[in-house]
Amino acid sequence: METKTASTGTIRYWAAARGAAGTAEESYRAGALADRADEQGGAARRVVTEYPVHLVEPSAEAEPRRVAEEIAAQFPVRAPAAVHRTGPLAIGDVAVITAVSCPHRAEAFAACRKLIDTLKHEVPVWKRQIFTDGATEWVGAC
């Protein structure tokens, strides 16, 4: 898992460099930090003012690679990529980017969606939210 500053250009370059001959389609997904969060229980939405810490548990370091390999086994993926940033992040910052390269568009879309959904469910990522009323809350990725 990449923990440095990441941009869509970085992912695109990385995925293209890893692509094989015959790969025609790439799909990318970038997840930015929102200024709203669901209240516990899913009722109201609260305004988030900042995300001072975005943590990935030490056990998560190998997980994105495992998930990418799992997705590559399910789809004709030639070049999977997953980058998750850590450290202080601001509202609107991109926290996670996934990318895949496949022979066809539909496969690329499906594989990229499966990659981000699986990452969110299986990789232990935590973020601390600070709300306008000063309250704080640690939440998992999903």
Side-chain angles (χ1 to χ4, degrees), residues 2-94:
E2 178 75 39
T3 56
K4 299 175 184 147
T5 300
S7 68
T8 304
T10 301
I11 289 294
R12 190 169 199 287
Y13 173 80
W14 189 81
R18 296 196 50 210
T23 299
E25 298 290 336
E26 295 174 345
S27 183
Y28 308 90
R29 190 228 176 250
L33 297 172
D35 67 350
R36 306 272 174 188
D38 288 328
E39 189 73 44
Q40 291 291 347
R45 296 187 52 87
R46 298 169 69 188
V47 176
V48 178
T49 60
E50 58 183 302
Y51 293 90
V53 180
H54 206 85
L55 295 176
V56 179
E57 293 179 12
S59 63
E61 288 301 317
E63 288 299 294
R65 175 167 282 146
R66 180 194 62 78
V67 171
E69 290 170 358
E70 179 182 305
I71 300 308
Q74 296 174 24
F75 296 88
V77 173
R78 301 251 170 72
V83 175
H84 206 297
R85 294 175 62 195
T86 60
L89 299 175
I91 302 299
D93 282 352
V94 173

Side-chain angles (χ1 to χ4, degrees), residues 21-28 68 70-80 98-116:
T23 299
E25 298 290 336
E26 295 174 345
S27 183
Y28 308 90
E70 179 182 305
I71 300 308
Q74 296 174 24
F75 296 88
V77 173
R78 301 251 170 72
T98 56
V100 298
S101 183
C102 291
H104 302 286
R105 179 180 43 218
E107 296 162 336
F109 286 145
C112 195
R113 180 176 181 153
K114 181 74 171 176
L115 178 55
I116 189 61

